[in-house]
Amino acid sequence: MKRPKIIDIRATTVAVPLEAPIRTANGAHWGKFVRTIVEVETDTGVIGLGEMGGGGESSEAAFQGLKSYLVGHDPFELEALWFKICNPTASLYNNRTQLHAAIEFACLDIIGKTLDVPVYDLIGGKLRDEVGFASYLFFRYNDKDHGGEVRTADQLLAEANRLKDKCGFTAHKLKAGVFPPDYELELYRALANEFPGDSLRYDPNAALSVEESIRFGHAIEDLRNDYFEDPTWGMNGMRRVREQVRIPMATNTVVVNFEQLSSNILNPAVDVILLDTTFWGGIRQCVKAAHVCDTFQLGIAVHSSGELGIQLATMLHLGAALPSLSFTADAHYHHLMDDVIKGGLMKYKNGKIKVPTGPGLGVELDRAKLEKYAAYYKEVGGYPYDRDPGRKDWFALVPNTRWANPAVSVEDDGK
């Protein structure tokens, strides 16, 4: 077998429409996801696929800047790849973790295609054929053509029921921190009452103060919570909440590397580590972190940073191979109108998605869709993730005190 060598890297930014603009504690996704699709070409003709969030032209330039690091590199040499891109001191002032993740996805795709095996066989083998997901509910603005507003209790329950009927979800995550905590508490408890047999998770994106987090946590302790996700900012803040609230604490923000993981083990602040294949720097970094978590009996789950089909495939392969995956995964995926992979959007059945079984990541680019959504990105451009299109001049504080008004659909003319 001829070992492949990298000869080129191509990055293409796309914008893919969402059903409606979705809101978070820190801003919003303005009716679309902006993602950068990466193709790593080798001298054997095998092309690997990667994906990274946002960035637009700056991401494309960043990937081009890595060509001098990677042309001639053997994709099988994944440890060398990490240190070429993410040497912890050399990259101190130029954090390349997410860039590395996209390149690593592509290299694993190349290795799998070269050996004619799926990626899950490169990380320990498949333990499950499908991975379960939570519904991932957002407050959102109305899109007159595709998706309705989610702001009131009735709207939230209608959306949750729609997704349960369509996808079969039995776990529900509320992305929150948008409205005043007492209002969101009312809606969260309404969600629990609507689906008494399903599990729940509340994620205000660290918008609450420590004291407000404790008060909110006490008010939901009786519910069937999977965990309390990032109620407040900082590991010590999370630790203070954990000491007072009888719900497992989870994070995808304050434990996203091995130094933070070791700190959390020495002085626990978080019970469940949400492993994100982008934020951690790749699939293999997540597998390594999962083994550490297993050693110390920390829970794990697969986190979503807002994905198209290529990154979703990385999440599925990861979820297939982790023995201690007891929680359903997150995915923004059901909010998308389309995808750039052949066959279109992957399908949910009974709240789960089948793990791709083809070589590598098991997904292929739809060139026509890639070109369509690259052109769409050039037409509409990006958006500031940390701003809200319905709240002109607003920006988030940490902890937040500038809540959206639940009595109105749009607070000004900024949409």
Side-chain angles (χ1 to χ4, degrees), residues 296-317:
F296 292 94
Q297 287 80 54
L298 291 173
I300 58 170
V302 177
H303 182 259
S304 166
S305 51
E307 64 286 317
L308 302 181
I310 296 168
Q311 181 157 4
L312 179 64
T314 73
M315 297 159 59
L316 291 168
H317 284 279

Side-chain angles (χ1 to χ4, degrees), residues 117-138:
V117 298
V119 162
Y120 55 71
D121 278 340
L122 304 176
I123 57 173
K126 182 175 63 168
L127 295 171
R128 52 188 67 85
D129 295 324
E130 50 192 9
V131 175
F133 289 86
S135 63
Y136 217 164
L137 299 159
F138 285 79

Side-chain angles (χ1 to χ4, degrees), residues 10-327:
R10 295 184 293 276
T12 306
T13 302
V14 298
V16 178
L18 298 169
E19 289 181 341
I22 56 180
R23 307 176 71 179
T24 73
N26 306 303
H29 291 289
W30 294 36
K32 55 185 177 287
F33 277 161
V34 174
R35 309 289 292 176
T36 299
I37 306 302
V38 178
E39 299 174 79
V40 175
E41 185 176 357
T42 67
D43 61 356
T44 60
V46 177
I47 296 174
L49 300 179
E51 179 185 328
M52 192 184 85
E57 296 85 351
S58 62
S59 288
E60 293 179 9
F63 283 110
Q64 285 300 305
L66 292 179
K67 283 184 67 172
S68 62
Y69 292 69
L70 299 176
V71 168
H73 183 80
D74 182 340
F76 281 72
E77 296 180 355
L78 293 168
E79 289 296 333
L81 178 75
W82 173 261
F83 282 97
K84 280 186 176 181
I85 298 177
C86 293
N87 180 298
T89 51
S91 65
L92 182 61
Y93 300 105
N94 186 14
N95 191 316
R96 304 188 187 107
T97 304
Q98 295 193 36
L99 297 171
H100 173 273
I103 299 295
E104 188 230 53
F105 299 161
C107 286
L108 285 169
D109 195 29
I110 290 166
I111 296 169
K113 290 173 177 174
T114 300
L115 300 177
D116 195 30
V117 298
V119 162
Y120 55 71
D121 278 340
L122 304 176
I123 57 173
K126 182 175 63 168
L127 295 171
R128 52 188 67 85
D129 295 324
E130 50 192 9
V131 175
F133 289 86
S135 63
Y136 217 164
L137 299 159
F138 285 79
F139 298 114
R140 68 188 195 184
Y141 290 115
N142 181 58
D143 183 303
K144 61 182 178 64
D145 296 319
H146 302 121
E149 181 187 49
V150 177
R151 174 177 50 87
T152 68
D154 287 345
Q155 290 168 339
L156 177 64
L157 297 181
E159 175 65 3
N161 275 292
R162 181 185 75 87
L163 290 174
K164 187 175 177 70
D165 291 344
K166 177 182 178 182
C167 303
F169 296 123
T170 57
H172 308 280
K173 171 175 173 174
L174 179 61
K175 177 67 82 173
V178 176
F179 298 111
D182 285 346
Y183 181 78
E184 293 192 347
L185 174 61
E186 178 185 338
L187 268 59
Y188 189 67
R189 293 196 66 89
L191 195 63
N193 187 62
E194 185 77 3
F195 306 110
D198 294 354
S199 64
L200 303 167
R201 54 194 73 160
Y202 177 78
D203 175 16
N205 268 142
L208 306 182
S209 68
V210 170
E211 294 75 20
E212 191 69 60
S213 299
I214 293 170
R215 189 179 73 84
F216 196 103
H218 287 165
I220 63 170
E221 281 183 339
D222 62 309
L223 303 181
R224 191 175 178 181
N225 300 289
D226 285 329
Y227 44 70
F228 195 14
E229 182 177 342
D230 284 315
T232 198
W233 179 254
M235 196 175 292
N236 199 57
M238 294 282 282
R239 187 175 294 114
R240 289 178 59 202
V241 177
R242 182 177 183 267
E243 290 169 352
Q244 299 292 326
V245 176
R246 295 176 298 173
I247 305 172
M249 300 288 288
T251 188
N252 74 283
T253 60
V254 300
V255 180
V256 292
N257 59 46
F258 288 95
E259 184 175 10
Q260 294 168 351
L261 181 56
S262 64
S263 295
N264 184 66
I265 289 166
L266 290 169
N267 191 4
V270 176
D271 306 288
V272 181
I273 308 301
L274 306 179
L275 297 170
D276 188 300
T277 56
T278 286
F279 293 168
W280 274 84
I283 300 173
R284 292 173 70 252
Q285 296 295 102
C286 290
V287 173
K288 292 177 182 180
H291 291 328
V292 175
C293 291
D294 289 349
T295 302
F296 292 94
Q297 287 80 54
L298 291 173
I300 58 170
V302 177
H303 182 259
S304 166
S305 51
E307 64 286 317
L308 302 181
I310 296 168
Q311 181 157 4
L312 179 64
T314 73
M315 297 159 59
L316 291 168
H317 284 279
L318 176 66
L322 297 180
S324 57
L325 186 67
S326 57
F327 295 106

Side-chain angles (χ1 to χ4, degrees), residues 390-407:
R391 304 176 70 193
K392 188 177 181 181
D393 298 327
W394 172 90
F395 57 91
L397 303 177
V398 177
N400 198 23
T401 55
R402 305 171 64 200
W403 311 108
N405 184 348

